[in-house]
């Protein structure tokens, strides 16, 4: 219970910091939302009236105080473009982004962790060097470049997968058909990080005395690596998954743009162009809370993997 309360208090402090930083960073975006909404030929009287309606005529610290008070109740204001509640707009697009992020993370975990264990088991071999070189290339290439290259290859040339958009109709198989390519690109880019970090975690565990004793006692190497070493390396591997989830969620924004998929990422980019402060703030806050919640849940899971962490 104490651990849970500690996690909740840390979550509250983190969310408050995110709210504060997001508010002031958004205010640094050049441009005037009122000018964007009314056009270049709007009169000063019309601009002043709209700024007063949006609360943009007040000092920044007053806007910040009002924003925090409303945010506590879940009111993030209304979008200056659509007029709908900003939080409602973001939550409507959240499932599309969540599906893409978790699908990409699942692909990354399915590829990265086995490869990381394999390279640690065969440290110094040609397969280890080959996989590490490929992982280095995966880290070096931007995710949007991989997305564009995959569209040209698998959509334009081979015509295996749809190039753009997400299926708004059809069954589960149709949705999966549209999801395979963007999730695969996202997963491969994230898998490069997971592979390298898993390898480092496994090498550290394989160098411990308990592993040396197990090998000296004649325990089969496969059991040493995939049972004993992997069990001791689960905590750092879970930490790796938590860190890469944030990377996966951030990369999903670029993937949504490249593949013209609906989601929070594409919505935030449009909101930035429109100087839609409320929508940007709500979107960034929801994404940040999602990352913090996943990491908090993983932190609680450490105690299940290693009971010593629960009593520490």
């Amino acid at each position: 219970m104490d651990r849970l309360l500690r996690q909740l208090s840390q979550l509250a402090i983190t969310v408050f910091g995110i709210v504060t930083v997001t508010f002031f960073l958004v205010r640094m975006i050049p441009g005037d939302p009122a000018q964007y909404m009314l056009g270049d030929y709007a009169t000063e009287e019309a601009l002043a009236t709209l700024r007063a309606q949006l609360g943009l005529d007040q000092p920044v610290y007053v806007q910040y105080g009002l924003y925090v008070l409303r945010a506590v109740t879940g009111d993030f204001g209304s979008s200056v473009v659509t007029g709908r509640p900003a939080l409602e707009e973001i939550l409507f697009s959240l499932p599309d982004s969540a599906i893409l992020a978790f699908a990409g993370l699942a692909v990354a975990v399915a590829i990265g962790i086995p490869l990381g264990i394999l390279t640690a088991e065969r440290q110094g071999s040609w397969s280890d060097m080959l996989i590490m070189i490929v992982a280095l290339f995966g880290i070096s290439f931007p995710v949007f470049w991989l997305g564009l290259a995959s569209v040209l290859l698998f959509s334009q040339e081979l015509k295996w997968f749809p190039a753009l958009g997400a299926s708004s109709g059809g069954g589960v198989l149709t949705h999966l058909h549209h999801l395979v390519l963007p999730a695969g690109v996202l997963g491969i880019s994230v898998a490069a990080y997971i592979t390298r970090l898993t390898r480092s975690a496994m090498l550290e565990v394989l160098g411990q005395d308990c592993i040396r004793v197990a090998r000296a006692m004649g325990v089969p190497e496969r059991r040493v690596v995939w049972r004993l070493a992997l069990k001791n390396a689960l905590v750092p591997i879970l930490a790796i998954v938590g860190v890469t989830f944030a990377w996966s969620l951030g990369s999903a924004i670029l993937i949504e743009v490249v593949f013209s998929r609906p989601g929070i990422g594409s919505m935030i980019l449009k909101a930035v162009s429109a100087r839609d402060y409320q929508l940007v703030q709500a979107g960034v806050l929801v994404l940040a809370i999602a990352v913090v919640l996943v990491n908090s849940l993983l932190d609680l899971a450490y105690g299940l993997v290693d009971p010593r962490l629960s009593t520490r």
Side-chain angles (χ1 to χ4, degrees):
M1 180 60 69
D2 292 340
R3 186 179 180 85
L4 179 60
L5 292 176
R6 209 163 43 241
Q7 288 293 328
L8 291 176
S9 61
Q10 293 176 359
L11 176 62
I13 295 172
T14 303
V15 169
F16 177 76
I18 293 169
V19 168
T20 303
V21 172
T22 303
F23 177 86
F24 287 103
L25 284 179
V26 169
R27 290 304 184 281
M28 296 173 63
I29 299 175
D32 184 0
Q35 188 76 60
Y36 179 87
M37 294 177 65
L38 297 180
D40 296 333
Y41 300 100
T43 63
E44 287 298 328
E45 292 79 6
L47 291 173
T49 302
L50 183 56
R51 292 192 190 104
Q53 292 176 355
L54 298 175
L56 300 176
D57 59 335
Q58 300 179 7
V60 175
Y61 63 88
V62 175
Q63 297 181 40
Y64 172 70
L66 294 174
Y67 173 70
V68 172
L69 291 176
R70 290 196 300 264
V72 172
T73 63
D75 180 12
F76 293 92
S78 299
S79 170
V80 299
V81 177
T82 64
R84 297 176 58 189
L87 186 59
E88 181 181 325
E89 292 268 7
I90 294 300
L91 293 180
F92 180 77
S93 301
L94 180 60
D96 293 314
S97 297
I99 290 173
L100 177 59
F102 279 107
L105 185 62
V107 172
V109 169
I111 296 175
I113 291 180
L115 286 181
I117 297 173
L118 181 64
T119 53
E121 182 182 9
R122 303 179 180 181
Q123 182 186 12
S125 65
W126 66 268
S127 59
D128 175 27
M129 292 184 289
L130 178 62
I131 294 174
M132 285 298 98
I133 291 174
V134 173
L136 180 61
F137 277 106
I139 295 173
S140 302
F141 288 123
V143 65
F144 64 86
W145 185 91
L146 291 176
L148 293 174
S150 66
V151 168
L152 291 176
L153 177 60
F154 295 106
S155 297
Q156 299 298 320
E157 296 296 331
L158 300 177
K159 301 186 185 303
W160 288 356
F161 303 103
L164 303 173
S167 175
S168 57
V172 176
L173 293 179
T174 304
H175 287 280
L176 289 176
H177 191 215
H178 283 77
L179 181 64
V180 167
L181 191 57
V185 172
L186 177 60
I188 289 174
S189 64
V190 178
Y193 289 90
I194 294 182
T195 299
R196 295 178 66 87
L197 295 175
T198 300
R199 179 180 183 272
S200 300
M202 286 294 295
L203 286 176
E204 182 178 354
V205 173
L206 288 173
Q208 294 178 356
D209 293 337
C210 60
I211 301 299
R212 296 193 185 97
V213 171
R215 284 171 170 166
M217 294 176 62
V219 177
E221 184 67 17
R222 188 174 185 82
R223 184 177 180 184
V224 169
V225 174
W226 292 90
R227 293 280 303 272
L228 301 178
L230 180 58
K231 183 178 180 180
N232 290 329
L234 276 181
V235 170
I237 288 176
L238 282 177
I240 292 167
V241 173
V243 171
T244 51
F245 175 74
W247 175 264
S248 177
L249 199 56
S251 299
I253 296 175
L254 298 175
I255 292 295
E256 288 173 2
V257 175
V258 171
F259 288 91
S260 298
R261 291 181 59 87
I264 295 180
S266 54
M267 180 176 290
I268 289 178
L269 289 179
K270 294 177 182 177
V272 170
S273 302
R275 314 304 190 266
D276 194 341
Y277 293 159
Q278 286 76 11
L279 199 58
V280 174
Q281 290 166 173
V284 172
L285 184 61
V286 168
L287 290 176
I289 290 176
V291 172
V292 173
L293 281 176
V294 169
N295 281 277
S296 297
L297 291 175
L298 288 175
D299 197 15
L300 293 174
Y302 296 158
L304 300 176
V305 174
D306 190 347
R308 294 174 298 178
L309 297 178
S310 299
T311 58
R312 185 172 299 173

